[in-house]
Amino acid sequence: MKSLEELAAIRDRMKNVVNTREAGEDNIRIAVGMATCGIAAGARPVLNAFTEEVARRELSGVTVTQTGCIGICQYEPVVEVFAPGKEKVTYVKMTPEKVARVVGEHIVGGTPVAEYTIGAAQR
């Protein structure tokens, strides 16, 4: 059985994770496709990696969510990034290893990682 102090520590650690899943009007939204095809292709570890990276960097104004079928199964796992006032960016064939770069360059720096996008995959 856990002590009150241990439970409080767990609660505090998890606050950042929960906050990354709560939407706001002017938030950047990272949506991970979690339909059957996405899950089979490895979307769950990608979702977890985004949640952990956003929490690790203590980013505010960034929401990590899951969504259903995006409709491009051959490119799974698929992640869409919606930033206020900008065009949606679709990342394809995502892996947990690619997440830190996307968060660093795109979410923090504002520059999408072009080589991970659907445009690069279609060439």
Side-chain angles (χ1 to χ4, degrees), residues 2 15 21 23 40 42 66 80 89 103 110-111:
K2 298 207 182 284
K15 271 185 185 176
R21 292 182 176 244
Q66 56 187 23
E80 294 180 322
V89 176
V103 171
T111 304

Side-chain angles (χ1 to χ4, degrees), residues 8-117:
I10 292 170
R11 182 198 63 213
D12 292 340
R13 266 196 331 267
M14 295 308 293
K15 271 185 185 176
N16 285 335
V17 172
V18 171
N19 287 341
T20 63
R21 292 182 176 244
E22 294 176 356
E25 291 176 16
D26 57 346
N27 279 7
I28 293 174
R29 185 167 60 96
I30 302 168
V32 180
M34 293 288 288
T36 304
C37 55
I39 293 169
R44 191 169 310 282
V46 171
L47 174 70
N48 292 339
F50 269 108
T51 303
E52 291 166 7
E53 186 69 14
V54 168
R56 184 185 70 76
R57 290 177 181 247
E58 298 179 357
L59 299 177
S60 60
V62 178
T63 305
V64 179
T65 63
Q66 56 187 23
T67 190
C69 182
I70 295 175
I72 50 175
C73 300
Q74 69 271 28
Y75 296 112
E76 293 288 354
V78 175
V79 174
E80 294 180 322
V81 176
F82 301 89
K86 296 184 180 176
E87 281 191 43
K88 168 185 75 174
V89 176
T90 302
Y91 290 105
V92 297
K93 299 185 182 194
M94 282 298 296
T95 64
E97 295 76 25
K98 294 177 180 178
V99 168
R101 183 168 175 206
V102 170
V103 171
E105 292 181 25
H106 187 177
I107 307 304
V108 174
T111 304
V113 183
E115 67 195 74
Y116 297 166
T117 64

